[in-house]
Amino acid sequence: MSDERLQTNLLGIAMKTPVLTASGTFGFGEEFKDFVDLSRLGGVMVKGTTLLPRRGNDGARITETPEGMLNCIGLENPGVEHFLEETLPRIQQYGMNVIVNISGSTAEKYGKLAELLDVPGVAAIELNVSCPNVKEGGIVFGTDPEAAAAVVCEAKAHTKKPVILKLSPNVTDIVAMARAVEAAGADAVSLINTLLGMEIDINRFRPVLGNITGGLSGPCVKPVAVRMVWQVAQAVRIPIIGMGGIASAEDAVEFFLAGASAVAVGTANFTDPEITMKICDGLDTYLAEHGFSSIEEIVGKANPGFLGFRNDVQKG
């Protein structure tokens, strides 16, 4: 099947399709090489990366929920040095756009990570701000507009790569967060990250997860994600990467119609490792059946308040 209708350019990154994979659900991409044409993906948002290696949380880290899952992996990863020296050179052979998701406990650490990753082979940086700011008493970066904006400013000051801010849904006003990071210079936003949730073992009388709470993802969060993409698309002009519960081409179409310029698939990769390819095929069929020649033609088409970002429209 030809992907001509699906070709797009996001943040100066040429993409064969607007279908990406969400960080934490696809490893470093190579784990799926037997199931997926990695070069066909718009990009692979690789496993969250920190300055130093992390072993992650103790105890149970994943549990299934109705139409979804809870996880509290705890950012287990080998650290940025290992990623740059070992992983990045190895995964470059697959011809995929590598987008590195980074986390830190201070704005300065985000800046340091962005600087270290400003190298060939990295297409963009995604900032995961669903972590506590140790300098501000543990406030979560992603729930405070000023803190999130400070992270964006620090990252932008240390890299020439496009900077994507991953918005947390665990806020009162997602629009305020999006506007703050756009004003700080974010090149795009991705949303949504996981919803905070928990499950209790009624026979052992204690939480199931070792960390007590975890991030809820999967089909159950899709209506929340679509609603938030819809709202943010009415508030900012930078492109949106929509994610949250996408498990079919029809799900992806909803995000495009709401105002997303690209989508990322997460939890569905666990249940069907070929799902991204099926979504690409389904999107192409949808466009053909409805008489559209490109994916851009349906971006924001259902959203009357959509601000009108297109690939040929510059920020501002």
Side-chain angles (χ1 to χ4, degrees), residues 242-296:
M243 61 185 75
I246 297 174
S248 67
E250 290 76 15
D251 291 338
V253 169
E254 286 191 57
F255 281 85
F256 288 116
L257 294 176
S261 295
V263 296
V265 181
T267 302
N269 291 307
F270 296 130
T271 56
D272 182 356
E274 298 178 338
I275 189 61
T276 50
M277 299 294 96
K278 295 175 182 177
I279 290 174
C280 289
D281 292 343
L283 284 174
D284 188 63
T285 298
Y286 174 87
L287 293 176
E289 290 180 346
H290 289 78
F292 297 114
S293 59
S294 70
I295 199 71
E296 283 86 359

Short mmCIF file of all heavy atoms in Angstrom, two decimals, residues 242-296:
data_model
loop_
_atom_site.label_atom_id
_atom_site.label_comp_id
_atom_site.label_asym_id
_atom_site.label_seq_id
_atom_site.Cartn_x
_atom_site.Cartn_y
_atom_site.Cartn_z
N GLY A 242 -1.35 13.94 19.11
CA GLY A 242 -2.40 13.40 19.95
C GLY A 242 -2.13 11.95 20.34
O GLY A 242 -1.69 11.15 19.50
N MET A 243 -2.40 11.62 21.58
CA MET A 243 -2.22 10.24 22.05
C MET A 243 -3.12 9.99 23.25
O MET A 243 -3.57 10.93 23.92
CB MET A 243 -0.76 10.00 22.44
CG MET A 243 -0.26 10.89 23.57
SD MET A 243 1.50 10.70 23.91
CE MET A 243 2.22 11.58 22.52
N GLY A 244 -3.39 8.72 23.48
CA GLY A 244 -4.25 8.35 24.61
C GLY A 244 -5.34 7.40 24.17
O GLY A 244 -6.38 7.84 23.69
N GLY A 245 -5.08 6.11 24.25
CA GLY A 245 -6.10 5.12 23.95
C GLY A 245 -6.29 4.78 22.49
O GLY A 245 -7.27 4.13 22.13
N ILE A 246 -5.39 5.21 21.62
CA ILE A 246 -5.54 4.92 20.18
C ILE A 246 -5.26 3.45 19.93
O ILE A 246 -4.17 2.95 20.20
CB ILE A 246 -4.60 5.80 19.34
CG1 ILE A 246 -4.97 7.28 19.53
CG2 ILE A 246 -4.68 5.41 17.87
CD1 ILE A 246 -4.00 8.24 18.86
N ALA A 247 -6.26 2.75 19.38
CA ALA A 247 -6.11 1.31 19.12
C ALA A 247 -6.61 0.92 17.73
O ALA A 247 -6.69 -0.26 17.41
CB ALA A 247 -6.86 0.51 20.18
N SER A 248 -6.94 1.92 16.90
CA SER A 248 -7.42 1.64 15.55
C SER A 248 -7.27 2.90 14.71
O SER A 248 -7.04 4.00 15.23
CB SER A 248 -8.90 1.24 15.58
OG SER A 248 -9.71 2.35 15.97
N ALA A 249 -7.42 2.73 13.40
CA ALA A 249 -7.36 3.89 12.51
C ALA A 249 -8.50 4.85 12.81
O ALA A 249 -8.33 6.08 12.75
CB ALA A 249 -7.43 3.43 11.05
N GLU A 250 -9.66 4.31 13.16
CA GLU A 250 -10.81 5.16 13.48
C GLU A 250 -10.52 6.03 14.71
O GLU A 250 -10.89 7.20 14.74
CB GLU A 250 -12.05 4.28 13.72
CG GLU A 250 -12.60 3.60 12.47
CD GLU A 250 -11.77 2.40 12.03
OE1 GLU A 250 -10.93 1.90 12.82
OE2 GLU A 250 -11.97 1.94 10.87
N ASP A 251 -9.85 5.44 15.70
CA ASP A 251 -9.45 6.23 16.87
C ASP A 251 -8.53 7.37 16.45
O ASP A 251 -8.69 8.52 16.89
CB ASP A 251 -8.72 5.35 17.88
CG ASP A 251 -9.60 4.31 18.55
OD1 ASP A 251 -10.83 4.51 18.57
OD2 ASP A 251 -9.05 3.31 19.06
N ALA A 252 -7.56 7.05 15.61
CA ALA A 252 -6.60 8.06 15.17
C ALA A 252 -7.30 9.19 14.42
O ALA A 252 -6.98 10.37 14.61
CB ALA A 252 -5.54 7.43 14.28
N VAL A 253 -8.27 8.85 13.58
CA VAL A 253 -9.00 9.87 12.82
C VAL A 253 -9.66 10.86 13.75
O VAL A 253 -9.68 12.08 13.49
CB VAL A 253 -10.04 9.21 11.89
CG1 VAL A 253 -10.99 10.26 11.31
CG2 VAL A 253 -9.34 8.47 10.75
N GLU A 254 -10.20 10.40 14.86
CA GLU A 254 -10.83 11.31 15.82
C GLU A 254 -9.84 12.38 16.28
O GLU A 254 -10.20 13.56 16.39
CB GLU A 254 -11.35 10.55 17.04
CG GLU A 254 -12.61 9.74 16.80
CD GLU A 254 -13.19 9.23 18.10
OE1 GLU A 254 -13.49 10.07 19.00
OE2 GLU A 254 -13.33 8.00 18.26
N PHE A 255 -8.61 11.98 16.55
CA PHE A 255 -7.61 12.93 17.01
C PHE A 255 -7.26 13.94 15.92
O PHE A 255 -7.10 15.14 16.19
CB PHE A 255 -6.35 12.19 17.48
CG PHE A 255 -6.47 11.60 18.85
CD1 PHE A 255 -7.04 10.34 19.03
CD2 PHE A 255 -6.03 12.29 19.97
CE1 PHE A 255 -7.16 9.79 20.29
CE2 PHE A 255 -6.14 11.74 21.24
CZ PHE A 255 -6.71 10.49 21.41
N PHE A 256 -7.13 13.48 14.68
CA PHE A 256 -6.86 14.41 13.59
C PHE A 256 -8.01 15.40 13.42
O PHE A 256 -7.79 16.61 13.28
CB PHE A 256 -6.63 13.64 12.28
CG PHE A 256 -5.33 12.91 12.23
CD1 PHE A 256 -5.30 11.52 12.15
CD2 PHE A 256 -4.12 13.59 12.26
CE1 PHE A 256 -4.10 10.83 12.11
CE2 PHE A 256 -2.90 12.92 12.22
CZ PHE A 256 -2.90 11.53 12.15
N LEU A 257 -9.22 14.92 13.45
CA LEU A 257 -10.38 15.80 13.29
C LEU A 257 -10.48 16.81 14.43
O LEU A 257 -10.96 17.93 14.25
CB LEU A 257 -11.67 14.96 13.21
CG LEU A 257 -11.81 14.06 11.99
CD1 LEU A 257 -13.08 13.22 12.09
CD2 LEU A 257 -11.84 14.89 10.70
N ALA A 258 -10.01 16.42 15.61
CA ALA A 258 -10.03 17.32 16.77
C ALA A 258 -8.96 18.39 16.69
O ALA A 258 -9.07 19.44 17.33
CB ALA A 258 -9.86 16.53 18.06
N GLY A 259 -7.90 18.14 15.88
CA GLY A 259 -6.86 19.15 15.72
C GLY A 259 -5.44 18.67 15.85
O GLY A 259 -4.50 19.47 15.82
N ALA A 260 -5.22 17.36 15.98
CA ALA A 260 -3.85 16.84 16.05
C ALA A 260 -3.23 16.77 14.66
O ALA A 260 -3.90 16.41 13.69
CB ALA A 260 -3.85 15.45 16.69
N SER A 261 -1.95 17.10 14.56
CA SER A 261 -1.23 17.00 13.30
C SER A 261 -0.56 15.65 13.12
O SER A 261 -0.16 15.28 12.02
CB SER A 261 -0.15 18.10 13.23
OG SER A 261 -0.74 19.38 13.20
N ALA A 262 -0.41 14.91 14.22
CA ALA A 262 0.14 13.56 14.21
C ALA A 262 -0.43 12.85 15.42
O ALA A 262 -1.00 13.47 16.32
CB ALA A 262 1.66 13.59 14.26
N VAL A 263 -0.27 11.54 15.45
CA VAL A 263 -0.75 10.76 16.60
C VAL A 263 0.35 9.81 17.05
O VAL A 263 1.24 9.46 16.28
CB VAL A 263 -2.02 9.94 16.27
CG1 VAL A 263 -3.19 10.86 15.94
CG2 VAL A 263 -1.77 8.95 15.13
N ALA A 264 0.27 9.39 18.31
CA ALA A 264 1.21 8.42 18.84
C ALA A 264 0.42 7.28 19.49
O ALA A 264 -0.54 7.53 20.21
CB ALA A 264 2.15 9.06 19.86
N VAL A 265 0.85 6.07 19.21
CA VAL A 265 0.18 4.87 19.71
C VAL A 265 0.99 4.32 20.88
O VAL A 265 2.21 4.18 20.79
CB VAL A 265 0.06 3.81 18.60
CG1 VAL A 265 -0.65 2.57 19.11
CG2 VAL A 265 -0.66 4.40 17.39
N GLY A 266 0.29 4.00 21.98
CA GLY A 266 0.99 3.54 23.17
C GLY A 266 0.60 2.14 23.60
O GLY A 266 1.12 1.15 23.10
N THR A 267 -0.35 2.06 24.52
CA THR A 267 -0.71 0.78 25.14
C THR A 267 -1.10 -0.29 24.13
O THR A 267 -0.82 -1.49 24.34
CB THR A 267 -1.87 1.01 26.14
OG1 THR A 267 -1.45 1.97 27.12
CG2 THR A 267 -2.26 -0.26 26.85
N ALA A 268 -1.69 0.09 23.03
CA ALA A 268 -2.12 -0.89 22.02
C ALA A 268 -0.94 -1.69 21.46
O ALA A 268 -1.13 -2.81 20.97
CB ALA A 268 -2.85 -0.19 20.87
N ASN A 269 0.29 -1.16 21.56
CA ASN A 269 1.45 -1.92 21.10
C ASN A 269 1.65 -3.20 21.90
O ASN A 269 2.23 -4.16 21.40
CB ASN A 269 2.72 -1.06 21.21
CG ASN A 269 2.74 0.09 20.22
OD1 ASN A 269 2.56 -0.11 19.03
ND2 ASN A 269 2.95 1.30 20.72
N PHE A 270 1.19 -3.21 23.14
CA PHE A 270 1.36 -4.39 23.99
C PHE A 270 0.41 -5.51 23.58
O PHE A 270 0.75 -6.69 23.68
CB PHE A 270 1.11 -4.04 25.46
CG PHE A 270 2.10 -3.05 26.03
CD1 PHE A 270 1.66 -1.93 26.72
CD2 PHE A 270 3.46 -3.25 25.88
CE1 PHE A 270 2.56 -1.02 27.25
CE2 PHE A 270 4.37 -2.35 26.41
CZ PHE A 270 3.92 -1.22 27.10
N THR A 271 -0.78 -5.15 23.15
CA THR A 271 -1.76 -6.17 22.79
C THR A 271 -1.64 -6.63 21.34
O THR A 271 -2.01 -7.74 21.00
CB THR A 271 -3.19 -5.65 23.04
OG1 THR A 271 -3.39 -4.43 22.30
CG2 THR A 271 -3.41 -5.36 24.52
N ASP A 272 -1.11 -5.74 20.49
CA ASP A 272 -0.90 -6.09 19.08
C ASP A 272 0.34 -5.37 18.58
O ASP A 272 0.29 -4.18 18.28
CB ASP A 272 -2.12 -5.68 18.25
CG ASP A 272 -1.97 -6.06 16.77
OD1 ASP A 272 -0.90 -6.56 16.38
OD2 ASP A 272 -2.94 -5.84 16.01
N PRO A 273 1.48 -6.07 18.50
CA PRO A 273 2.73 -5.40 18.11
C PRO A 273 2.73 -4.86 16.69
O PRO A 273 3.62 -4.08 16.33
CB PRO A 273 3.79 -6.50 18.30
CG PRO A 273 3.04 -7.77 18.22
CD PRO A 273 1.69 -7.49 18.81
N GLU A 274 1.74 -5.24 15.88
CA GLU A 274 1.66 -4.74 14.50
C GLU A 274 0.63 -3.62 14.36
O GLU A 274 0.33 -3.20 13.24
CB GLU A 274 1.29 -5.89 13.57
CG GLU A 274 2.31 -7.01 13.53
CD GLU A 274 1.90 -8.16 12.62
OE1 GLU A 274 0.69 -8.30 12.35
OE2 GLU A 274 2.78 -8.91 12.18
N ILE A 275 0.10 -3.14 15.46
CA ILE A 275 -1.04 -2.22 15.40
C ILE A 275 -0.72 -0.93 14.65
O ILE A 275 -1.57 -0.38 13.95
CB ILE A 275 -1.57 -1.89 16.83
CG1 ILE A 275 -2.88 -1.10 16.75
CG2 ILE A 275 -0.52 -1.15 17.65
CD1 ILE A 275 -4.01 -1.83 16.07
N THR A 276 0.51 -0.42 14.76
CA THR A 276 0.84 0.84 14.07
C THR A 276 0.73 0.69 12.56
O THR A 276 0.28 1.61 11.87
CB THR A 276 2.23 1.34 14.46
OG1 THR A 276 3.18 0.27 14.31
CG2 THR A 276 2.25 1.84 15.89
N MET A 277 1.15 -0.46 12.04
CA MET A 277 1.06 -0.69 10.60
C MET A 277 -0.40 -0.79 10.16
O MET A 277 -0.78 -0.28 9.10
CB MET A 277 1.81 -1.97 10.22
CG MET A 277 3.32 -1.95 10.54
SD MET A 277 4.28 -0.72 9.58
CE MET A 277 4.34 0.67 10.73
N LYS A 278 -1.22 -1.42 10.99
CA LYS A 278 -2.64 -1.53 10.68
C LYS A 278 -3.30 -0.16 10.70
O LYS A 278 -4.20 0.14 9.89
CB LYS A 278 -3.32 -2.47 11.68
CG LYS A 278 -2.84 -3.91 11.58
CD LYS A 278 -3.44 -4.80 12.67
CE LYS A 278 -2.90 -6.22 12.58
NZ LYS A 278 -3.43 -7.08 13.68
N ILE A 279 -2.88 0.69 11.62
CA ILE A 279 -3.43 2.05 11.69
C ILE A 279 -3.02 2.85 10.46
O ILE A 279 -3.84 3.59 9.88
CB ILE A 279 -2.99 2.74 13.00
CG1 ILE A 279 -3.71 2.08 14.19
CG2 ILE A 279 -3.29 4.24 12.95
CD1 ILE A 279 -3.25 2.58 15.55
N CYS A 280 -1.78 2.72 10.04
CA CYS A 280 -1.33 3.42 8.82
C CYS A 280 -2.17 2.99 7.61
O CYS A 280 -2.65 3.83 6.84
CB CYS A 280 0.14 3.11 8.55
SG CYS A 280 1.31 3.88 9.70
N ASP A 281 -2.36 1.69 7.46
CA ASP A 281 -3.16 1.18 6.35
C ASP A 281 -4.59 1.70 6.43
O ASP A 281 -5.18 2.11 5.43
CB ASP A 281 -3.18 -0.35 6.36
CG ASP A 281 -1.82 -0.96 6.03
OD1 ASP A 281 -0.97 -0.23 5.48
OD2 ASP A 281 -1.62 -2.15 6.33
N GLY A 282 -5.15 1.69 7.65
CA GLY A 282 -6.53 2.15 7.83
C GLY A 282 -6.70 3.63 7.56
O GLY A 282 -7.72 4.06 7.00
N LEU A 283 -5.69 4.43 7.93
CA LEU A 283 -5.76 5.86 7.65
C LEU A 283 -5.74 6.14 6.16
O LEU A 283 -6.48 6.99 5.65
CB LEU A 283 -4.58 6.58 8.32
CG LEU A 283 -4.66 6.80 9.83
CD1 LEU A 283 -3.34 7.40 10.34
CD2 LEU A 283 -5.82 7.72 10.19
N ASP A 284 -4.88 5.42 5.44
CA ASP A 284 -4.82 5.59 4.00
C ASP A 284 -6.15 5.24 3.35
O ASP A 284 -6.63 5.96 2.46
CB ASP A 284 -3.69 4.73 3.41
CG ASP A 284 -3.45 5.02 1.95
OD1 ASP A 284 -3.08 6.16 1.62
OD2 ASP A 284 -3.67 4.12 1.13
N THR A 285 -6.75 4.16 3.80
CA THR A 285 -8.06 3.76 3.27
C THR A 285 -9.12 4.81 3.58
O THR A 285 -9.94 5.15 2.72
CB THR A 285 -8.48 2.41 3.88
OG1 THR A 285 -7.53 1.41 3.49
CG2 THR A 285 -9.86 2.00 3.40
N TYR A 286 -9.10 5.34 4.79
CA TYR A 286 -10.08 6.37 5.18
C TYR A 286 -9.96 7.60 4.29
O TYR A 286 -10.97 8.13 3.79
CB TYR A 286 -9.86 6.76 6.64
CG TYR A 286 -10.73 7.91 7.11
CD1 TYR A 286 -12.01 7.69 7.60
CD2 TYR A 286 -10.27 9.23 7.04
CE1 TYR A 286 -12.82 8.74 8.01
CE2 TYR A 286 -11.07 10.28 7.44
CZ TYR A 286 -12.34 10.04 7.93
OH TYR A 286 -13.14 11.09 8.32
N LEU A 287 -8.73 8.07 4.08
CA LEU A 287 -8.52 9.25 3.24
C LEU A 287 -9.02 9.01 1.82
O LEU A 287 -9.69 9.86 1.22
CB LEU A 287 -7.05 9.64 3.23
CG LEU A 287 -6.45 10.14 4.54
CD1 LEU A 287 -4.96 10.40 4.39
CD2 LEU A 287 -7.15 11.39 5.04
N ALA A 288 -8.70 7.84 1.29
CA ALA A 288 -9.11 7.51 -0.08
C ALA A 288 -10.63 7.45 -0.20
O ALA A 288 -11.22 7.99 -1.15
CB ALA A 288 -8.50 6.18 -0.51
N GLU A 289 -11.28 6.81 0.75
CA GLU A 289 -12.73 6.65 0.69
C GLU A 289 -13.47 7.97 0.84
O GLU A 289 -14.59 8.13 0.35
CB GLU A 289 -13.18 5.68 1.79
CG GLU A 289 -12.77 4.23 1.52
CD GLU A 289 -13.21 3.29 2.62
OE1 GLU A 289 -13.60 3.79 3.71
OE2 GLU A 289 -13.17 2.05 2.40
N HIS A 290 -12.85 8.94 1.54
CA HIS A 290 -13.50 10.23 1.75
C HIS A 290 -12.99 11.31 0.80
O HIS A 290 -13.35 12.49 0.94
CB HIS A 290 -13.32 10.67 3.20
CG HIS A 290 -14.12 9.86 4.18
ND1 HIS A 290 -13.74 8.61 4.59
CD2 HIS A 290 -15.30 10.13 4.81
CE1 HIS A 290 -14.64 8.13 5.45
NE2 HIS A 290 -15.59 9.02 5.59
N GLY A 291 -12.16 10.92 -0.14
CA GLY A 291 -11.74 11.86 -1.17
C GLY A 291 -10.68 12.86 -0.75
O GLY A 291 -10.55 13.92 -1.36
N PHE A 292 -9.88 12.53 0.26
CA PHE A 292 -8.82 13.43 0.70
C PHE A 292 -7.49 12.96 0.12
O PHE A 292 -7.21 11.77 0.03
CB PHE A 292 -8.73 13.44 2.23
CG PHE A 292 -9.96 13.97 2.91
CD1 PHE A 292 -10.75 13.13 3.70
CD2 PHE A 292 -10.34 15.29 2.76
CE1 PHE A 292 -11.89 13.60 4.33
CE2 PHE A 292 -11.49 15.78 3.39
CZ PHE A 292 -12.26 14.94 4.17
N SER A 293 -6.65 13.92 -0.25
CA SER A 293 -5.37 13.58 -0.85
C SER A 293 -4.21 13.66 0.14
O SER A 293 -3.09 13.25 -0.18
CB SER A 293 -5.08 14.52 -2.03
OG SER A 293 -5.05 15.87 -1.61
N SER A 294 -4.46 14.20 1.34
CA SER A 294 -3.39 14.29 2.34
C SER A 294 -4.00 14.29 3.74
O SER A 294 -5.18 14.63 3.92
CB SER A 294 -2.57 15.57 2.15
OG SER A 294 -3.35 16.70 2.50
N ILE A 295 -3.18 13.95 4.71
CA ILE A 295 -3.65 13.91 6.10
C ILE A 295 -3.96 15.32 6.60
O ILE A 295 -4.85 15.53 7.43
CB ILE A 295 -2.61 13.21 7.01
CG1 ILE A 295 -3.25 12.76 8.32
CG2 ILE A 295 -1.39 14.08 7.25
CD1 ILE A 295 -4.20 11.59 8.19
N GLU A 296 -3.23 16.32 6.08
CA GLU A 296 -3.45 17.70 6.53
C GLU A 296 -4.88 18.17 6.27
O GLU A 296 -5.38 19.04 6.97
CB GLU A 296 -2.46 18.65 5.84
CG GLU A 296 -1.06 18.61 6.41
CD GLU A 296 -0.21 17.52 5.77
OE1 GLU A 296 -0.74 16.79 4.90
OE2 GLU A 296 0.97 17.40 6.13
#
